[in-house]
């Protein structure tokens, strides 16, 4: 059993180190003087995010400024990372609302199932990525923090428009 | 007659000492700042070649990046390997650093400066041994690298140190030999007389193009820069001889490398591009010295040295590293015979010209130029056909290659017996 090795049929007479070097130098010089650079100067410039970018969560609110969540318990059920903590409550009129709603963004895998499953379109993932914190506790977003976020929310995948255009 | 040959202020030793001290202090300030800026320039050039911006956060356009790097390096923890030789481990970066600093001393960087106390030559030490001093000191520099590799007690460091010593010894020979044609032309080893000869007889890059080429290649190998950076070869040897170094000790090697680059660039500018000579005019090298002349010649020298520094960086970010046997075969099998043959050629040519009664001047330069062009064409057309840099096997005859190829077509070749072609020119 032998291994086939591809041998380039290039005669020694056509091989030149100097010519190859010079053409390489010309090539690098072209890039050196090329004013177009690929770097994004991050804090000043930002790359455009996709509409379907799945970042940190946001809880949408109704006209009164209250969270739309009715505490149905679907999102903690569907969450594969088990990062949503929900304790439902009910007021005198029988309206359900979340007593405790916490998302541990450290555990979250940003799959977007919670947004997909929510019947009230309350919980959303956001088009946002600058979420650094100094402590681990800072990554547990409570209801107040989730409702006060202002970044745009991500859109769900639309089968009629699979490329998201 | 050359003002550089005059010994400075001989009648007054005190003035000489004061002038020397001032020169040394100013020089080291400027030299170290230049080295610091070179580290920035290296990063900038590499970034631009790779379509990036490079460091641009610290100061305007990243100008204070070297300061930030320096502070960072001072703050780093200094480690030394437990099983290593601590004394030599500490000594090695100092040797590398000092030799790199000292080797610049003989290079004159501007026309003499007139002062109220007399004319001051603008080189640290206008030694009669000239560039032999630089060669000697830069040879000492290899001790720093070799000792660093050995005292680290680390196989990668040791390999780096070994490679470095082998490489430096090999290339020093062709470097020294490529300077001998200059001696034949100038008749003296002092930097002053070499510059003087070029002012009258044309730059040596035209007179002695082949020597320039061999010197350039050897200088790249001497300063351990790509494509000859085998001592540190980060993809094979972690970081080569400075694997175990940290903090300021590591920085010293870094500074030494850039200082060596600077010295080699200065040497090339002086030996082959006329030093501080301004081309196409005799104004700078005749008449009384003046401050204006000093400034303009200094700029001329800086431009020439700067060109070589840029070439260093440009080549570094273009070419891949040589393999060890390719490096050795280029040094011993190509550069050494070439520089030896060139000495014979130039010596006989000069003897013939002398016999024909041609003195230093336009005719001599013209004859040398024609001969150089012929030799260069010979090298690049005849020799540069898979022979300049050896192919992946050390030496393979055309018949052997043909045999292997036909074997391969028949489909009965083991992996060990076939190597790829000399694939340099993709």
């Amino acid at each position: 059993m032998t291994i086939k090795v591809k041998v380039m049929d290039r005669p020694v007479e056509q091989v030149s180190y100097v010519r190859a070097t010079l053409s390489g130098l010309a090539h690098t010089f072209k890039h050196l003087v090329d004013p177009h650079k690929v770097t994004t100067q991050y804090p000043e410039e930002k790359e455009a995010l996709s509409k379907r970018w799945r970042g940190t969560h946001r809880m949408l609110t109704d006209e009164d400024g209250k969270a739309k969540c009715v505490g149905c318990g679907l999102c903690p059920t569907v969450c594969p990372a088990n990062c949503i903590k929900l304790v439902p409550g009910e007021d005198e009129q029988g309206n359900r609302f979340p007593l405790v709603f916490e998302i541990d963004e450290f555990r979250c895998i940003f799959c977007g199932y919670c947004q997909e499953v929510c019947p009230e379109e309350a919980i959303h993932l956001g088009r946002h990525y600058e979420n650094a914190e100094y402590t681990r506790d800072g990554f547990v977003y409570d209801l107040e923090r989730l409702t006060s976020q202002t970044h745009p929310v991500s859109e769900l995948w639309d089968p009629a428009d699979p490329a998201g255009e | 007659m050359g003002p550089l040959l005059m010994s400075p202020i001989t009648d007054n030793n005190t003035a000489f000492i004061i002038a020397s001290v001032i020169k040394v202090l100013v020089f080291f300030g400027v030299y170290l700042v230049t080295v610091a800026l070179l580290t920035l320039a290296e990063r900038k050039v590499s970034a631009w070649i790779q379509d990036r911006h490079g460091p641009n956060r610290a100061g305007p356009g990243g100008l204070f990046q070297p300061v930030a790097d320096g502070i960072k390096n001072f703050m780093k923890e200094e480690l030394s390997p437990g099983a290593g030789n601590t004394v030599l481990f500490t000594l090695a970066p100092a040797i590398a650093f000092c030799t790199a600093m000292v080797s610049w001393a003989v290079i004159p960087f501007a026309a003499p400066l007139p002062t109220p106390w007399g004319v001051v030559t603008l080189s640290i030490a206008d030694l009669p041994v000239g560039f032999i001093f630089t060669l000697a000191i830069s040879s000492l520099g290899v001790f720093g690298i070799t000792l660093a590799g050995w005292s680290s007690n680390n196989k990668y460091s040791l390999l780096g140190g070994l490679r470095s010593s082998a490489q430096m010894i090999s290339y020093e020979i062709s470097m020294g030999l490529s300077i001998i044609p200059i001696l034949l032309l100038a008749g003296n080893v002092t930097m002053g007389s070499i510059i003087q000869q070029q002012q009258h007889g044309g730059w040596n890059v035209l007179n002695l193009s082949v020597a320039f080429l061999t010197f350039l290649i050897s200088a790249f190998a001497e300063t351990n820069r790509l494509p000859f950076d085998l001592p540190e070869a980060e993809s094979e040897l972690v970081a080569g001889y400075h694997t175990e170094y940290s903090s300021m000790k590591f920085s010293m090697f870094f500074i030494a490398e850039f200082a060596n680059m600077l010295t080699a660039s200065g040497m090339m500018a002086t030996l082959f591009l006329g030093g501080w000579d301004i081309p196409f005019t005799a104004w700078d090298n005749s008449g009384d010295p003046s401050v204006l002349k000093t400034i303009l010649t200094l700029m001329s020298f800086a431009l020439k040295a700067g060109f070589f520094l840029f070439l260093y960086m440009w080549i570094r970010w273009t070419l891949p590293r040589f393999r060890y046997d390719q490096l050795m075969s280029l040094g011993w099998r190509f550069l050494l015979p070439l520089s030896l043959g060139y000495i014979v050629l130039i010596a006989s040519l000069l003897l013939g010209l002398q016999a024909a009664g041609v003195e230093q001047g336009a005719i001599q330069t013209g004859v040398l130029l024609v001969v150089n062009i012929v030799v260069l064409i010979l090298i690049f057309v005849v020799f540069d056909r898979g022979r300049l840099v050896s192919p992946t096997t050390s030496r393979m005859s055309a018949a052997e290659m043909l045999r292997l190829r036909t074997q391969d077509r028949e489909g009965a070749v083991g992996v060990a017996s076939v190597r790829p072609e000399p694939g340099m020119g993709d």
Side-chain angles (χ1 to χ4, degrees):
Chain A
M1 187 66 195
T2 55
I3 301 168
K4 286 286 282 180
V5 177
K6 187 185 176 192
V7 177
M8 298 295 291
D9 217 356
R10 194 186 291 125
V12 174
E13 294 72 41
Q14 287 173 22
V15 176
S16 164
Y17 184 77
V18 174
R19 239 185 307 146
T21 303
L22 291 179
S23 75
L25 285 175
H27 186 79
T28 46
F29 193 75
K30 228 167 16 197
H31 281 273
L32 177 79
V33 293
D34 185 0
H36 172 72
K37 303 292 178 200
V38 293
T39 316
T40 310
Q41 295 290 323
Y42 163 61
E44 293 91 34
E45 309 168 15
K46 282 169 188 170
E47 300 268 344
L49 294 181
S50 156
K51 281 182 193 160
R52 291 194 342 237
W53 176 277
R54 300 197 298 262
T56 46
H57 297 79
R58 226 192 116 177
M59 173 71 80
L60 296 195
T61 51
D62 55 17
E63 299 84 52
D64 311 333
K66 280 180 66 188
K68 279 184 178 176
C69 180
V70 295
C72 66
L74 277 175
C75 50
T77 310
V78 79
C79 181
N82 204 10
C83 67
I84 304 178
K85 183 179 172 190
L86 171 67
V87 178
E90 200 173 324
D91 64 7
E92 294 78 34
Q93 288 86 39
N95 297 324
R96 285 167 64 93
F97 64 94
L99 281 173
V100 176
F101 191 98
E102 281 177 4
I103 297 184
D104 187 347
E105 302 286 353
F106 236 17
R107 291 196 64 128
C108 181
I109 59 167
F110 300 99
C111 61
Y113 282 3
C114 49
Q115 180 178 358
E116 233 173 285
V117 82
C118 185
E120 298 295 319
E121 297 194 345
I123 188 73
H124 282 77
L125 274 77
R127 280 186 251 157
H128 182 254
Y129 54 89
E130 287 161 318
N131 42 20
E133 294 281 346
Y134 285 104
T135 59
R136 288 180 162 254
D137 297 342
F139 284 98
V140 180
Y141 288 13
D142 58 7
L143 189 60
E144 194 188 343
R145 180 146 180 207
L146 285 167
T147 48
S148 61
Q149 305 272 17
T150 52
H151 53 254
V153 295
S154 55
E155 291 174 8
L156 289 176
W157 178 67
D158 180 4
D161 175 26
E165 286 149 353
Chain B
M1 72 179 247
L4 267 169
L5 289 178
M6 295 192 310
S7 93
I9 321 170
T10 37
D11 53 333
N12 194 337
N13 267 331
T14 322
F16 172 70
I17 289 166
I18 290 170
S20 291
V21 167
I22 290 172
K23 272 196 288 191
V24 166
L25 289 179
V26 170
F27 159 75
F28 273 109
V30 174
Y31 195 69
L32 285 176
V33 168
T34 314
V35 166
L37 288 178
L38 271 180
T39 61
L40 175 66
E42 166 98 45
R43 292 173 67 177
K44 278 286 189 187
V45 168
S46 80
W48 289 332
I49 282 178
Q50 295 164 355
D51 283 344
R52 298 183 285 113
H53 290 290
N56 59 359
R57 296 282 150 173
L63 199 61
F64 299 138
Q65 188 66 39
V67 182
D69 289 343
I71 293 171
K72 186 193 86 171
N73 267 327
F74 269 114
M75 296 297 153
K76 289 257 173 179
E77 186 183 1
E78 206 160 293
L79 300 166
S80 56
N85 185 329
T86 318
V87 176
L88 290 182
F89 188 79
T90 317
L91 195 63
I95 295 175
F97 183 81
C98 292
T99 51
M101 289 290 126
V102 169
S103 56
W104 178 277
V106 289
I107 296 174
F109 41 87
L113 178 74
T115 59
W117 306 277
V119 177
V120 180
T121 52
L122 283 185
S123 63
I124 304 298
D126 193 16
L127 294 181
V129 288
F131 63 71
I132 293 173
F133 173 79
T134 306
L135 284 185
I137 294 294
S138 66
S139 310
L140 282 180
V142 73
F143 277 103
I145 292 173
T146 315
L147 283 179
W150 185 74
S151 63
S152 298
N153 200 11
N154 171 327
K155 58 190 165 197
Y156 297 115
S157 304
L158 183 62
L159 278 173
L162 275 177
R163 281 180 179 195
S164 163
S165 43
Q167 174 179 332
M168 290 227 179
I169 289 165
S170 314
Y171 278 83
E172 226 150 56
I173 298 170
S174 28
M175 193 181 205
L177 287 179
S178 62
I179 291 176
I180 291 182
I182 299 173
L183 289 189
L184 295 176
L185 271 186
N188 202 337
V189 287
T190 57
M191 292 300 206
S193 57
I194 289 169
I195 291 174
Q196 217 186 334
Q197 171 257 321
Q198 294 183 75
Q199 282 163 349
H200 298 294
W203 290 359
N204 280 339
V205 68
L206 300 177
N207 286 333
L208 307 164
S209 322
V210 180
F212 171 65
L213 207 72
T214 46
F215 190 89
L216 185 73
I217 297 169
S218 311
F220 271 81
E222 279 286 293
T223 46
N224 293 330
R225 293 283 297 185
L226 265 164
F228 306 115
D229 72 333
L230 284 114
E232 33 185 294
E234 65 274 0
S235 45
E236 308 157 27
L237 299 182
V238 190
Y241 59 90
H242 54 54
T243 306
E244 296 285 353
Y245 282 88
S246 57
S247 184
M248 247 354 247
K249 284 187 201 151
F250 168 74
S251 249
M252 301 260 265
F253 280 118
F254 212 68
I255 293 169
E257 181 184 327
F258 279 91
N260 280 329
M261 256 171 78
L262 201 56
T263 311
S265 302
M267 280 280 278
M268 282 188 273
T270 309
L271 295 178
F272 294 100
L273 290 190
W276 44 261
D277 176 41
I278 301 172
F280 310 118
T281 172
W283 167 77
D284 57 311
N285 45 46
S286 55
D288 292 329
S290 71
V291 178
L292 181 67
K293 267 182 198 172
T294 304
I295 292 168
L296 286 179
T297 49
L298 181 65
M299 282 165 68
S300 164
F301 180 78
L303 271 179
K304 287 167 188 173
F307 165 73
F308 284 112
L309 288 169
F310 173 68
L311 190 70
Y312 260 110
M313 291 167 190
W314 187 13
I315 285 182
R316 160 153 195 196
W317 296 102
T318 302
L319 294 181
R321 185 181 307 125
F322 275 46
R323 226 179 36 225
Y324 189 66
D325 63 309
Q326 289 175 335
L327 176 95
M328 283 296 150
S329 83
L330 181 71
W332 289 102
R333 293 226 313 262
F334 178 71
L335 285 184
L336 184 62
L338 178 70
S339 39
L340 273 174
Y342 194 63
I343 293 171
V344 175
L345 179 74
I346 290 298
S348 43
L349 205 66
L350 286 179
L351 202 64
L353 282 175
Q354 214 172 21
V358 178
E359 284 302 307
Q360 201 178 55
I363 301 169
Q364 193 199 41
T365 306
V367 171
L368 284 172
L369 189 60
V370 170
V371 171
N372 277 316
I373 289 170
V374 171
V375 176
L376 283 178
I377 288 172
L378 269 178
I379 291 170
F380 291 139
V381 177
V382 181
F383 283 103
D384 180 31
R385 286 289 176 266
R387 295 186 194 91
L388 262 190
V389 177
S390 68
T392 37
T393 50
S394 57
R395 181 180 269 172
M396 196 185 275
S397 65
E400 169 75 0
M401 221 171 265
L402 192 71
R403 192 183 66 79
L404 286 173
R405 263 187 215 145
T406 43
Q407 251 187 359
D408 184 49
R409 290 211 187 87
E410 285 153 14
V413 174
V415 67
S417 61
V418 162
R419 277 97 171 203
E421 274 275 344
M424 296 329 287
D426 272 2

